[in-house]
Each structure stands twice: as structure tokens, then as C-alpha cells.
Amino acid sequence: AYTENAAATAIDTGLTVSRNIGLPRESRRLNLRGDVFNLFNHPNFYPPVNIFDSLNFGSLPSANRFQTRPPRQIQLSIRYSF
């Protein structure tokens, strides 16, 4: 977890699983890897509007849809080394 400022805290948990597999020839290897970003798919809302004269005072303007705090993402990769 990291803190942008005193009013907003964003939670972002990731997980990586990797497996190296040796192939029949000496120096050849296969690496399988899976990454999950925002593992628990936690919504990270912007802080509430704190301008008292605003019509939106106290509301949450956005869940930051697909911008700097994206929803869960899964990435798979295979690497062949020789």
C-alpha cells in the first residue's frame, strides 16, 4: 500500500508466480511466469470533494476508472533461454 496524500490511501496488492523448467540439453531452460496486479480487485476511489461551496461536497467524483489505478490485471509469460 502507498499513500498519495493524507486524505487518500490506495491499496494495490500484486502476486507473481514463476517456475523454471530445465530442458534436455544443458543450457536450455523454459521459464513460466504469471503476474496478477490488484489481486483483490480493491476499488481505489479519489478522496471526497472537500470544497464546501461545491454542489458535489462530500461526494466521491470517480473510482478512477482505468486510469492510474486500474482494476485487476493478469499477465502470463513464457521465456525460452538457450
Side-chain angles (χ1 to χ4, degrees), residues 48-59:
V49 176
N50 60 2
I51 300 170
F52 187 73
D53 293 340
S54 173
L55 295 174
N56 296 324
F57 177 74
S59 67

Side-chain angles (χ1 to χ4, degrees), residues 22-38:
L23 297 177
R25 298 215 174 153
E26 289 180 18
S27 63
R28 298 178 189 220
R29 291 179 309 175
L30 193 64
N31 179 275
L32 305 173
R33 180 179 171 140
D35 298 304
V36 181
F37 305 101
N38 196 3

Side-chain angles (χ1 to χ4, degrees), residues 56-70:
N56 296 324
F57 177 74
S59 67
L60 298 171
S62 171
N64 198 3
R65 186 170 174 88
F66 307 108
Q67 293 176 11
T68 58
R69 301 176 189 169

Side-chain angles (χ1 to χ4, degrees), residues 1-13 44 46 64 67-70:
Y2 63 92
T3 302
E4 283 186 351
N5 59 40
T9 301
I11 298 173
D12 189 10
T13 304
N44 292 306
Y46 283 134
N64 198 3
Q67 293 176 11
T68 58
R69 301 176 189 169

